[in-house]
Amino acid sequence: MSRSARRLSDVKATQAMTRPTYTITELAREFDVTPRAIRFYEDMGLLEPTRSGRNRVYSQRDRTRLKLTLRGKRLGFALQEIRQLVTMYDTESDTTAQLEAFMAVLGAHRQQLAQQLDDIRITLDELTLHEDRCRRLLASAVKVRK
């Protein structure tokens, strides 16, 4: 190995050692999730911790991916969609195509949520009608008893 290659290797090793790492307990506590949930996300390919003996060692990249995963879940995305979006940001390819794909996913999700909102409004209106009818029937029943 040449001297410059050795130096580059040493610099990379030093950088890797100075980057923050996290245990599963630290991440679970920080994001208020269970270690089991974190292991599940790992099984789904969303996180890729290294190992130190039997312990998982999570990098800053894993922490960011967990944060994005949890944000995606809060927004109602399926894990498959979250994986696509998170993986999209790991690639070095053209960001324009990535952003367009992300916009398409967001648009489809927005449309789905709008439909659900319409369905909820219709259901609430129906509940209001039934409640009003029940109140009238109760009022009639009370008058009849008197």
Side-chain angles (χ1 to χ4, degrees):
M1 182 183 283
S2 72
R3 179 183 283 177
S4 61
R6 198 174 315 120
R7 246 185 282 169
L8 181 60
S9 177
D10 291 345
V11 167
K12 286 183 179 180
T14 301
Q15 287 174 342
M17 289 173 28
T18 60
R19 289 187 186 133
T21 60
Y22 307 91
T23 66
I24 195 167
T25 305
E26 289 170 334
L27 289 178
R29 190 175 302 126
E30 178 180 355
F31 292 104
D32 194 28
V33 296
T34 63
R36 184 177 181 185
I38 293 173
R39 287 190 296 273
F40 175 74
Y41 297 141
E42 181 183 343
D43 290 343
M44 296 298 294
L46 293 163
L47 305 174
E48 298 170 351
T50 57
R51 297 279 183 163
S52 176
R54 292 187 54 189
N55 297 323
R56 291 171 169 85
V57 179
Y58 294 90
S59 65
Q60 182 63 39
R61 175 182 175 267
D62 290 315
R63 182 186 173 279
T64 300
R65 288 173 68 100
L66 178 60
K67 185 176 184 177
L68 291 172
T69 298
L70 295 173
R71 185 177 296 154
K73 286 202 44 75
R74 268 195 315 277
L75 292 173
F77 288 104
L79 284 179
Q80 183 66 23
E81 292 172 312
I82 293 169
R83 185 176 335 142
Q84 280 181 305
L85 295 172
V86 170
T87 303
M88 185 185 314
Y89 286 100
D90 281 346
T91 63
E92 297 292 325
S93 62
D94 181 24
T95 57
T96 302
Q98 292 172 351
L99 291 172
E100 288 171 350
F102 186 49
M103 286 294 293
V105 169
L106 289 175
H109 193 64
R110 176 180 292 279
Q111 187 175 10
Q112 179 184 10
L113 289 174
Q115 181 60 54
Q116 289 174 346
L117 184 58
D118 287 344
D119 294 343
I120 290 170
R121 286 184 178 138
I122 290 168
T123 302
L124 287 172
D125 289 344
E126 289 175 4
L127 286 172
T128 300
L129 290 173
H130 290 296
E131 287 172 336
D132 290 345
R133 184 168 183 252
C134 286
R135 282 189 191 96
R136 284 193 308 274
L137 290 170
L138 281 171
S140 297
V142 170
K143 286 181 187 177
V144 169
R145 282 191 199 166
K146 289 183 178 182

